[in-house]
Amino acid sequence: MRITVNGIAHELDVAGNETLLTLLRERLALTGTKLSCERGECGACTVLIARDGVRRSAYSCLTLAPSCDDAEITTIEGLAPKRELHPLQKAFIERDAVQCGFCTPGQLMAASLLLSENASPTEEDIRAAMAGNLCRCGTSPKIVRAIQDVAARRTPTHG
């Protein structure tokens, strides 16, 4: 299969039952995407998949690698490719929205997709977009505020 991950093209032989998470972590050594529930319930393994101009988030623990043939994948390592922190990463730090940090990669990927599709999300929009990403440490309110901060910085204020 052919797959582009964080802008780097790869040609790989994959088993029909190999998950995208396994491919990323074990074969490409991209360990920022976390293995947690293995049931698509927590969102720690969230990545972005783009194909034919459409980007969507996906739980990589449930996504079979062969289904990503000719797709572009963005992981947490590719969120800020210039080795600088992405504005969302900065906001999560500023708002202390990273208590244990285990869910953070998935949270950041879901938030980045939201902001790419909706530059001025309401709190309700944010909570709906983040519903598939759980934080067991209880930082969800801080995560919402961090996303609001980034949206506010990107959107000119009027009035």
Side-chain angles (χ1 to χ4, degrees):
M1 72 178 274
R2 291 184 187 129
I3 189 169
T4 301
V5 180
N6 300 330
I8 300 170
H10 301 273
E11 207 162 306
L12 304 161
D13 290 324
V14 296
N17 64 348
E18 184 174 352
T19 66
L20 180 58
L21 180 63
T22 299
L23 184 147
L24 294 170
R25 289 183 58 83
E26 296 179 15
R27 298 184 64 190
L28 300 180
L30 296 169
T31 57
T33 304
K34 301 302 182 199
L35 170 64
S36 186
C37 72
E38 295 185 83
R39 294 185 305 267
E41 294 176 0
C42 72
C45 67
T46 301
V47 298
L48 303 182
I49 300 175
R51 180 181 284 123
D52 301 323
V54 177
R55 253 177 27 139
R56 64 179 179 83
S57 65
Y59 298 136
S60 61
C61 73
L62 297 180
T63 304
L64 292 176
S67 73
C68 296
D69 191 27
D70 290 324
E72 295 180 29
I73 311 299
T74 304
T75 69
I76 188 66
E77 291 89 348
L79 188 62
K82 294 180 182 175
R83 297 279 186 206
E84 296 176 12
L85 291 179
H86 185 279
L88 280 166
Q89 291 170 310
K90 290 178 185 176
F92 271 53
I93 292 167
E94 290 167 3
R95 285 289 186 173
D96 196 27
V98 291
Q99 188 168 345
C100 87
F102 199 81
C103 72
T104 305
Q107 299 277 0
L108 288 164
M109 299 312 296
S112 70
L113 181 63
L114 166 66
L115 292 177
S116 73
E117 295 175 341
N118 182 350
S120 301
T122 64
E123 183 173 339
E124 185 176 290
D125 294 335
I126 294 169
R127 291 190 183 283
M130 302 306 290
N133 295 77
L134 304 178
C135 174
R136 290 180 175 91
C137 297
T139 62
S140 294
K142 294 177 182 182
I143 290 168
V144 169
R145 286 193 293 275
I147 296 167
Q148 289 172 323
D149 288 351
V150 174
R153 290 179 195 144
R154 296 168 62 187
T155 305
T157 57
H158 300 289

